[in-house]
Amino acid sequence: MHSTANPLREGLVESRRPQPFTMIIFGAAGDLAHRKLFPALYNLMVDHWLPHQVNVVGFSRQPFDDDNFRKEIKHSIEQFSRQPLNADVFDQFASGMHYISANFNDPQAYIELRNLLTRLNEEQHLPGNYLFYLATPPSFYPIIAEHLGAVGLNVSPSEQGWVRIIVEKPFGRDLASAIELNAQLHKVFDETQIFRIDHYLGKETVQNILVFRFANGIFEPLWNRQYIDHVQITVAESLGVEGRGTYYDTAGALRDIVQNHMMQLVSLIAMEPPVVFEADAVRDEKVKVLKAIRPLSTRDVTQFTVRAQYDEGYVEGSMVPGYLDEPDIPSDSRTESYMAMRLLIDNWRWAGVPFYLRTGKRLAKRATEIAIQFKKAPHRFFNQTATPDLEPNLLTLKIQPDEGIALRFGAKVPGPVVRIRTVNMDFLYGTSFADQAPEAYERLLLDAMIGDSTLFTRKDEVEAAWSLVTTILNGWERAKGPIPTYEAGTWGPPEADELIARDGFRWRRP
Ligand code: BG6
């Protein structure tokens, strides 16, 4: 099928415009709704992605009425929206907002919700499409799902209608609880209705990993153990726990970042090309990678993982407290704010190529990147004096900030003698594309509205990621004694340097 038309453009806009629907946000008065969900909905409306009439029902414990709720949303858009507040668009947005103030376990409130949705369908001749969003503490997920099922809101009142449910992270806290949560949700919703969100997949640069690998002919032939020496994935934050101490201390870096965001990055970098770019075909390939990761024994956990907590130090010129002195953190906490690990993927493409992962809070700077180091040139053609500091080729996918892709290679220094220096070829998103990229939540909400689950995590995917992470959690649980520390504002503990140095490598400085 050779055509000069661009299938990605043809009909694209229309096929991505959702049918009229009502979105119901549980936890609508919470931080996530305030910072991310309302601004994302508003931006989708400004950019004309939404149908003319959108109803948003907030469901939360806070005692708001519809008017207070609208004011709250206005405030959230003023503070966090990518695009400034436009009074006309906001008025249209606000006209579809409703609020139910109730406890999540109050059966009566779900009857009230069903009545409200029925009334909106009748008044506005809507087809009965419902998008539920669970933005509550995770302990309420099964409760809300059960109540929705009890009042029949897990199926649309009309034959052509749809009902979907978006579930926020954390999705479980280990393998057993993730399996249990999946089972609880499946009692009410089938898998095609469940959209487990991981906001990393909504990032433009993360989606570009697949485009870079599979829309270009020159990289994929090199993308394997023959040419790649090792891979380093870094998710570094300069922020600390930022008022989320109560949550963070029950999670730690492994659950908060590695189980979801970093496992997504590993699977996108390592997966085989899917046959088609469709939800299940893509997710099948991602799951295969997760299942091919070599399980860690208790001894491997000691040898190939490092966890640590930050001590006080200077970040961006200011003194910051250590992890144990942060609000809501118990003074004897053993929760890690940093973790590093080495993993191996036992398949034909990756056998023997180590993947090093590290993530932490209060590191030297914010940087998320994937660095792929290629093997050295096979024959040292130029003598040592010409190449004192020649480093192997390195391809860096910079996810954030300074989004872009860089290729490092050796170049001849101008002059009459052969001297070679390492230089970079850089692609910068900001320079190549003038458009402002949408926020991750905008992209993901729109996908859920049109029913495209490619960028959402499937049941087997979430369980495969937890399976690996749970072995590490169990290994750590057995280890006694204090956990290492690192000074805030540095690149982590010396133990992490030792982990990678044992294989003859060192961490990159992003
Ligand atoms: C969230 C974590 O999932 O991701 C936070 O809970 C973390 O602890 C955040 O700060 C990082 O996201 P981003 O988009 O800023 O890289």
Side-chain angles (χ1 to χ4, degrees):
M1 198 184 66
H2 292 282
S3 154
T4 49
N6 180 349
L8 288 174
R9 286 193 72 80
E10 265 186 7
L12 180 76
V13 171
E14 271 323 303
S15 69
R16 293 193 60 80
R17 202 180 303 284
Q19 300 156 352
F21 66 95
T22 298
M23 182 158 175
I24 303 95
I25 302 180
F26 293 93
D31 201 50
L32 178 79
H34 199 70
R35 283 173 185 268
K36 299 288 181 192
L37 304 184
F38 294 123
L41 281 171
Y42 173 77
N43 282 306
L44 285 171
M45 183 164 253
V46 174
D47 290 342
H48 307 290
W49 286 110
L50 297 189
H52 189 68
Q53 182 62 50
V54 177
N55 296 303
V56 179
V57 179
F59 187 123
S60 248
R61 290 168 288 187
Q62 253 67 17
F64 294 147
D65 59 18
D66 287 1
D67 273 347
N68 302 137
F69 182 52
R70 289 180 189 135
K71 278 192 198 122
E72 272 297 303
I73 296 180
K74 189 169 187 191
H75 187 53
S76 109
I77 292 164
E78 280 164 350
Q79 260 186 302
F80 297 109
S81 167
R82 175 169 69 79
Q83 309 185 76
L85 190 106
N86 168 306
D88 292 340
V89 180
F90 183 77
D91 287 348
Q92 187 198 338
F93 188 39
S95 67
M97 284 174 197
H98 309 268
Y99 188 79
I100 293 177
S101 165
N103 281 325
F104 300 124
N105 43 21
D106 173 5
Q108 199 52 41
Y110 293 82
I111 296 176
E112 193 187 326
L113 173 64
R114 191 184 55 197
N115 293 343
L116 170 64
L117 295 177
T118 308
R119 178 166 67 75
L120 294 172
N121 291 343
E122 284 167 5
E123 284 173 5
Q124 299 169 17
H125 310 291
L126 296 175
N129 295 327
Y130 304 145
L131 182 60
F132 297 109
Y133 199 116
L134 301 185
T136 64
S139 54
F140 290 114
Y141 298 170
I143 296 171
I144 295 170
E146 200 187 322
H147 282 295
L148 289 173
V151 296
L153 281 174
N154 54 336
V155 280
S156 170
S158 87
E159 234 168 68
Q160 302 75 35
W162 49 258
V163 175
R164 300 181 189 127
I165 184 161
I166 304 180
V167 189
E168 258 300 332
K169 62 166 278 219
F171 195 91
R173 42 179 294 105
D174 53 20
L175 179 59
S177 56
I179 292 175
E180 193 188 348
L181 179 54
N182 274 328
Q184 285 161 331
L185 292 176
H186 278 163
K187 278 191 201 148
V188 183
F189 297 98
D190 66 46
E191 182 62 21
T192 59
Q193 295 179 284
I194 304 173
F195 287 66
R196 297 173 195 80
I197 201 164
D198 181 321
H199 81 280
Y200 256 57
L201 289 176
K203 289 181 192 281
E204 286 287 330
T205 41
V206 172
Q207 291 162 43
N208 194 42
I209 297 173
L210 292 188
V211 174
F212 180 79
R213 289 189 56 197
F214 302 132
N216 294 296
I218 65 170
F219 303 108
E220 206 44 32
L222 308 179
W223 214 261
N224 58 53
R225 61 189 297 271
Q226 310 287 353
Y227 300 98
I228 295 180
D229 187 50
H230 74 279
V231 178
Q232 292 188 20
I233 305 183
T234 303
V235 176
E237 296 185 90
S238 54
L239 294 177
V241 293
E242 305 302 305
R244 296 161 76 221
T246 311
Y247 153 73
Y248 192 84
D249 200 61
T250 62
L254 182 60
R255 289 189 175 97
D256 189 46
I257 299 281
V258 179
Q259 186 275 333
N260 37 69
H261 309 327
M262 292 190 93
M263 285 299 137
Q264 289 295 339
L265 298 180
V266 170
S267 39
L268 293 173
I269 279 294
M271 70 191 264
E272 296 301 317
V275 177
V276 282
F277 194 70
E278 280 172 7
D280 277 332
V282 171
R283 297 185 299 178
D284 286 346
E285 296 306 333
K286 286 167 65 196
V287 174
K288 283 188 208 161
V289 172
L290 296 175
K291 290 193 171 160
I293 295 177
R294 187 181 296 177
L296 300 174
S297 65
T298 313
R299 214 170 122 235
D300 293 338
V301 173
T302 320
Q303 215 176 339
F304 299 121
T305 73
V306 167
R307 58 179 162 157
Q309 272 177 355
Y310 59 83
D311 252 337
E312 63 179 16
Y314 284 89
V315 174
E316 283 150 15
S318 309
M319 182 75 178
V320 298
Y323 181 76
L324 296 179
D325 295 322
E326 295 276 17
D328 306 318
I329 303 294
S331 57
D332 59 350
S333 168
R334 289 168 56 81
T335 300
E336 76 290 353
S337 61
Y338 175 98
M339 93 82 63
M341 69 184 290
R342 185 192 94 165
L343 58 83
L344 294 170
I345 302 175
D346 285 334
N347 64 15
W348 197 267
R349 187 189 283 259
W350 295 113
V353 179
F355 282 64
Y356 299 95
L357 276 51
R358 63 176 162 166
T359 181
K361 296 214 179 268
R362 288 285 189 232
L363 294 181
K365 69 184 226 198
R366 175 172 185 245
T368 297
E369 61 160 49
I370 300 165
I372 294 154
Q373 181 156 321
F374 289 87
K375 293 190 170 162
K376 288 190 181 131
H379 173 55
R380 285 221 144 197
F381 192 77
F382 301 102
N383 68 34
Q384 191 63 31
T385 49
T387 61
D389 59 354
L390 185 60
E391 298 192 75
N393 295 120
L394 184 85
L395 181 75
T396 314
L397 307 179
K398 300 181 195 172
I399 308 294
Q400 62 188 21
D402 308 328
E403 292 81 359
I405 298 177
L407 180 65
R408 182 175 81 185
F409 59 95
K412 181 179 175 305
V413 179
V417 290
V418 178
R419 271 182 47 232
I420 302 175
R421 211 173 65 202
T422 299
V423 295
N424 269 315
M425 201 149 72
D426 262 324
F427 149 67
L428 293 171
Y429 268 80
T431 320
S432 298
F433 302 108
D435 285 357
Q436 194 186 38
E439 286 268 330
Y441 275 92
E442 293 173 40
R443 167 64 198 256
L444 294 175
L445 284 181
L446 185 61
D447 279 6
M449 290 166 192
I450 59 174
D452 181 350
S453 50
T454 311
L455 299 179
F456 292 83
T457 317
R458 207 169 56 185
K459 171 183 181 288
D460 49 351
E461 213 177 337
V462 86
E463 290 178 4
W466 270 121
S467 168
L468 174 78
V469 163
T470 304
T471 354
I472 302 175
L473 288 168
N474 292 344
W476 284 354
E477 199 132 287
R478 282 191 207 110
K480 300 279 172 265
I483 73 168
T485 57
Y486 58 101
E487 192 183 329
T490 64
W491 278 108
E495 286 81 353
D497 297 334
E498 284 154 25
L499 178 143
I500 196 167
R502 281 204 297 272
D503 294 344
F505 306 124
R506 59 193 152 85
W507 293 107
R508 242 181 68 73
R509 279 289 147 88

